[in-house]
Amino acid sequence: MPFFRKTYWFVILFLYTIPIGALPLSIEETKNYRDIGRYFEFTIPSNPEVTLDEILKQETIWRTNPKNVISFPRSKNPVWIKVTLIHYGNFPHTFFLHLSNPVVDLFELHTEINGKWNTQWSGEQVLQKNKPIYSHLSAFPITLSANETRTIYLKIRSDNPIFSFASIYNSRTFIAYSKKQDIFFAAYFGAGFMMFLFSLFLAHTLRYKKFFYFFFYLATVLFLNTYSTGFIQYLEFGNSNAWKNYLFPITIYFSSIFGLLFTLEFLETKNKYTKLFKVTSSYILFLLIVIPTISVLDLRFFMQLTVVLVTISLFFTIIISIMTLLKSNRKIEVILFLLAFGSLLIGASYYIFTVQGFIKPFHFASYSLPLGSAMEVFFLSLALVLRVSDYRKSNEQKQEIDLQLKIAQKLQNGLLPKKRTHALEYPLGFRYLPATDIGGDFVEIIVKENELGLFLCDVSGHGIPAAMIASMTKVSLEIWNDTLDKPALAAEKIRKSLLSSLSGHFLSAFFVYINPKENTLRIANAGHLPLLHLDREGKITTYTSYGRAINEFIKSDMIEKSFPLPKEGTFILFTDGVIEARNINTGELFGEERFYSLIQTLAKKHPQIICDSVIEEVQKFQKTKRSDDDITILALSLDTENNFE
């Protein structure tokens, strides 16, 4: 017994001293597939052009493969791999050696058949020239007789880091697996192409930057998956596929760039997280700077740098999504966005961990990256559909508002005095500059035989509400038309008619009654700026009377005043938008002093020239054509045309 026990432990110890790769790998047609990476032996000759004959003749040192995958990222020279297979069966059978690596490299398989070495290629060869491709898979058929033992040699040339897991299938399983992949990836690329067209339609129709970024991002993701699925092998230009090795990392960079741009735009990061937006934008600029370095850096190093930088890009995206989720009102969209990039991260991580040997190889890894990106596109599409729905609602609301604005603009145009140059043969000038498309200032000129009424009002605020109140004021002003010589009485009646419609607004107004035959000037003021009289020497006289602005809470208590009508000069009515115009750079107001000084220089000018000059100077002072408040100025000259310069 002691002898047998010692012999047993000696045999076990002996077997452990023999490398696994040195033992033949048993394969049977009854088994569907086996992962065989750990059974390989490898060598990396110093001469990159060494042939199989030299490998066989030399005393080559073969080492056991350290992982379950073929992983030699630091090797620039071709890697030679060998494995010995033994088929236990009663009949010959064709097995398939499947390599998971995207077909951008040259795989050169050497097998000895009847004393002669047979060579098969994949990767660099044109499809129709000696390229034994089954569907889009990189695979080699190996036919073994019953109980036959055969050693196969595989030479791998790669400009990229070599990451691949290898499996051996029986023929039935491989054909089924190949068909399943064909169906899955055909469906994936078909759906992806439809989404590609849909995103192009959205970008063209809606003209939002986020949809353009999504379009380009989707295009780069679809192209990347032609690599991960092996379909890139169907794209052939010339006799070399070297361009594929360079285009692959460049596409990854552009995918990261457009993904980050889409993230910033879709999640509206610029206004919410200014610092994070600047950091991410700087990182995008850094990626753009890195891309041209592919022409000077070693491609292997560039690929490894790419993997690191794209991982950072994904984490940027997820951090922005989480921060937005905490504060956003559109939580469903942000959750879908998180699920999208989370799916891509999981799929990519599973694939990367598999090909680098961190987890046990399983052919599902071939599906993980495209499946993750498919889930990403699905969730992003749902988020975009919700966003498009929001845009559609906002567009409908905008169209409704635009319609209301057009109606209000028509009302506004009806409030302005009809284009005229004279009133009772007095030269007339008028200019109106609203703060928005719709304003609240209102001017009315009522001309009767030997009588003239001038009315100017300023409704608080601007926009549609102010325009509506101004419109109602115009209707109420018909009261004054019947008693033109009694402006204060008319003003009180107008105030009472507007009380129920003011809704918290108020308006200031100035009533002017002129009767040339009676040489009478009569005024009533409801909290407005005074009427100015500018004589030909530039002297300014103000006409005003007591009265509060018209509102629904306090009586105006307007007092009517009468004055002799001046023989010459110009009357000027204006709203506070003139003197309260503000310089956008300094915040300084235009002010009464500047306004009075300006019109004094225009004392001998035509009323229309006075109005035009004031508006021009105000706009120059503001440094913009838009004001904070509506600006209106009305000028009426008491002189004949011959007295103007």
Side-chain angles (χ1 to χ4, degrees), residues 2-269:
F3 172 77
F4 289 108
R5 188 178 291 112
K6 289 181 181 180
T7 305
Y8 169 79
W9 285 111
F10 176 77
V11 171
I12 294 297
L13 183 63
F14 174 75
L15 290 175
Y16 269 98
T17 60
I18 301 176
I20 291 178
L23 297 175
L25 172 62
S26 172
I27 54 175
E28 302 174 16
E29 58 185 279
T30 56
K31 292 184 178 180
N32 294 335
Y33 77 95
R34 284 186 74 172
D35 296 312
I36 61 172
R38 66 192 183 96
Y39 295 97
F40 283 125
E41 294 177 284
F42 77 95
T43 187
I44 304 176
S46 57
N47 178 14
E49 302 301 325
V50 67
T51 63
L52 176 64
D53 289 339
E54 292 171 327
I55 288 288
L56 295 175
K57 290 178 182 177
Q58 295 174 359
E59 294 183 358
T60 305
I61 299 175
W62 294 91
R63 290 172 287 179
T64 56
N65 188 29
K67 296 184 179 180
N68 288 330
V69 295
I70 304 169
S71 176
F72 301 98
R74 297 181 182 178
S75 173
K76 295 182 179 180
N77 291 343
V79 178
W80 284 83
I81 294 174
K82 76 170 182 175
V83 64
T84 301
L85 304 175
I86 183 170
H87 169 41
Y88 290 116
N90 298 321
F91 303 98
H93 188 82
T94 300
F95 297 90
F96 289 87
L97 175 63
H98 171 225
L99 300 165
S100 67
N101 211 53
V103 186
V104 294
D105 307 310
L106 175 61
F107 297 97
E108 187 178 300
L109 184 73
H110 301 273
T111 56
E112 188 177 14
I113 303 176
N114 298 325
K116 294 184 179 179
W117 285 97
N118 182 47
T119 305
Q120 297 172 289
W121 299 269
S122 70
E124 278 288 338
Q125 307 301 312
V126 180
L127 274 173
Q128 290 78 17
K129 297 181 180 179
N130 302 324
K131 189 174 184 181
I133 296 298
Y134 298 85
S135 178
H136 58 279
L137 303 174
S138 175
F140 298 93
I142 302 171
T143 303
L144 296 176
S145 302
N147 298 316
E148 180 184 358
T149 300
R150 184 185 303 171
T151 300
I152 60 174
Y153 294 85
L154 186 68
K155 180 182 179 182
I156 303 177
R157 291 181 184 173
S158 176
D159 288 324
N160 292 318
I162 303 171
F163 292 114
S164 181
F165 57 93
S167 305
I168 197 155
Y169 291 78
N170 64 32
S171 56
R172 184 183 305 165
T173 304
F174 180 77
I175 292 171
Y177 171 58
S178 173
K179 288 181 178 179
K180 286 179 182 178
Q181 283 213 332
D182 282 346
I183 295 171
F184 174 80
F185 291 131
Y188 168 77
F189 283 109
F193 183 71
M194 294 300 294
M195 278 304 305
F196 176 80
L197 294 178
F198 177 63
S199 64
L200 179 61
F201 170 76
L202 288 178
H204 176 73
T205 305
L206 298 177
R207 303 286 179 174
Y208 288 106
K209 285 194 292 186
K210 56 180 65 65
F211 294 111
F212 282 103
Y213 292 148
F214 179 70
F215 164 73
F216 287 112
Y217 174 68
L218 180 59
T220 54
V221 167
L222 287 174
F223 189 76
L224 278 177
N225 276 299
T226 62
Y227 281 88
S228 65
T229 59
F231 279 99
I232 189 66
Q233 67 179 312
Y234 291 138
L235 297 178
E236 300 286 349
F237 295 100
N239 295 322
S240 173
N241 281 339
W243 60 271
K244 296 178 184 178
N245 291 319
Y246 287 89
L247 189 58
F248 181 51
I250 291 174
T251 308
I252 294 176
Y253 276 106
F254 278 111
S255 176
S256 299
I257 290 168
F258 287 119
L260 287 172
L261 288 172
F262 174 65
T263 300
L264 294 176
E265 193 68 25
F266 184 83
L267 298 179
E268 299 172 352
T269 312

Side-chain angles (χ1 to χ4, degrees), residues 489-512:
L489 178 62
E492 182 59 26
K493 289 182 179 180
I494 292 170
R495 186 189 77 83
K496 290 179 179 179
S497 69
L498 291 173
L499 285 180
S500 61
S501 305
L502 291 175
S503 300
H505 288 268
F506 64 90
L507 61 93
S508 64
F510 206 103
F511 296 79
V512 180

Side-chain angles (χ1 to χ4, degrees), residues 487-488 508-513 521-533 540-549 556-564 571-574 592 596:
S508 64
F510 206 103
F511 296 79
V512 180
Y513 170 74
L521 169 66
R522 197 169 291 144
I523 65 170
N525 186 5
H528 199 77
L529 295 168
L531 169 70
L532 303 183
H533 176 256
I540 297 174
T541 305
T542 61
Y543 294 89
T544 188
S545 63
Y546 178 79
R548 287 187 287 264
S556 295
D557 294 332
M558 284 174 282
I559 297 175
E560 185 176 289
K561 283 189 178 183
S562 295
F563 304 92
F571 281 134
I572 299 175
L573 280 172
F574 62 100
E592 281 188 1
Y596 286 178

Side-chain angles (χ1 to χ4, degrees), residues 314-580:
L314 277 172
F315 279 108
F316 260 117
T317 302
I318 293 174
I319 290 170
I320 294 171
S321 303
I322 293 173
M323 292 181 64
T324 306
L325 180 62
L326 297 176
K327 294 186 178 181
S328 176
N329 295 325
R330 299 172 174 174
K331 293 194 179 295
I332 296 179
E333 294 178 20
V334 182
I335 290 172
L336 289 171
F337 197 88
L338 262 174
L339 289 173
F341 282 94
S343 300
L344 179 64
L345 184 60
I346 292 171
S349 299
Y350 186 86
Y351 180 78
I352 291 172
F353 289 159
T354 301
V355 297
Q356 295 203 26
F358 296 133
I359 61 177
K360 184 179 179 181
F362 186 64
H363 64 251
F364 174 75
S366 301
Y367 299 94
S368 63
L369 183 57
L371 186 60
S373 63
M375 294 298 294
E376 177 198 32
V377 171
F378 172 73
F379 287 125
L380 285 180
S381 301
L382 290 179
L384 284 173
V385 167
L386 292 176
R387 186 60 60 87
V388 169
S389 178
D390 290 341
Y391 285 144
R392 186 176 298 160
K393 289 178 182 177
S394 63
N395 283 337
E396 290 174 356
Q397 292 173 352
K398 184 177 181 299
Q399 289 174 359
E400 185 177 347
I401 292 173
D402 289 343
L403 179 60
Q404 293 175 359
L405 282 174
K406 287 180 181 178
I407 295 172
Q409 283 174 341
K410 287 182 179 179
L411 289 173
Q412 180 79 56
N413 293 334
L415 298 176
L416 301 177
K418 297 209 173 13
K419 190 173 182 180
R420 60 196 307 167
T421 58
H422 292 77
L424 283 183
E425 298 183 356
Y426 292 142
L428 183 72
F430 170 75
R431 280 296 298 272
Y432 172 60
L433 186 66
T436 59
D437 293 333
I438 306 296
D441 288 359
F442 163 41
V443 173
E444 182 67 285
I445 302 171
I446 302 175
V447 180
K448 288 188 173 184
E449 187 178 357
N450 297 320
E451 290 181 304
L452 175 62
L454 302 177
F455 174 81
L456 176 65
C457 83
D458 181 2
V459 181
S460 62
H462 42 76
I464 293 178
M468 295 300 293
I469 293 173
S471 178
M472 288 184 285
T473 305
K474 179 179 176 64
V475 174
S476 301
L477 203 60
E478 292 295 323
I479 298 171
W480 190 32
N481 195 40
D482 297 331
T483 56
L484 198 60
D485 60 338
K486 299 177 181 179
L489 178 62
E492 182 59 26
K493 289 182 179 180
I494 292 170
R495 186 189 77 83
K496 290 179 179 179
S497 69
L498 291 173
L499 285 180
S500 61
S501 305
L502 291 175
S503 300
H505 288 268
F506 64 90
L507 61 93
S508 64
F510 206 103
F511 296 79
V512 180
Y513 170 74
I514 297 174
N515 191 319
K517 275 196 172 184
E518 296 180 0
N519 194 33
T520 300
L521 169 66
R522 197 169 291 144
I523 65 170
N525 186 5
H528 199 77
L529 295 168
L531 169 70
L532 303 183
H533 176 256
L534 177 68
D535 68 16
R536 293 299 167 219
E537 302 304 320
K539 180 182 177 182
I540 297 174
T541 305
T542 61
Y543 294 89
T544 188
S545 63
Y546 178 79
R548 287 187 287 264
I550 296 173
N551 63 85
E552 56 191 312
F553 304 109
I554 305 174
K555 290 184 178 181
S556 295
D557 294 332
M558 284 174 282
I559 297 175
E560 185 176 289
K561 283 189 178 183
S562 295
F563 304 92
L565 184 67
K567 299 297 183 183
E568 53 83 32
T570 303
F571 281 134
I572 299 175
L573 280 172
F574 62 100
T575 60
D576 57 5
V578 175
I579 59 177
E580 292 180 1

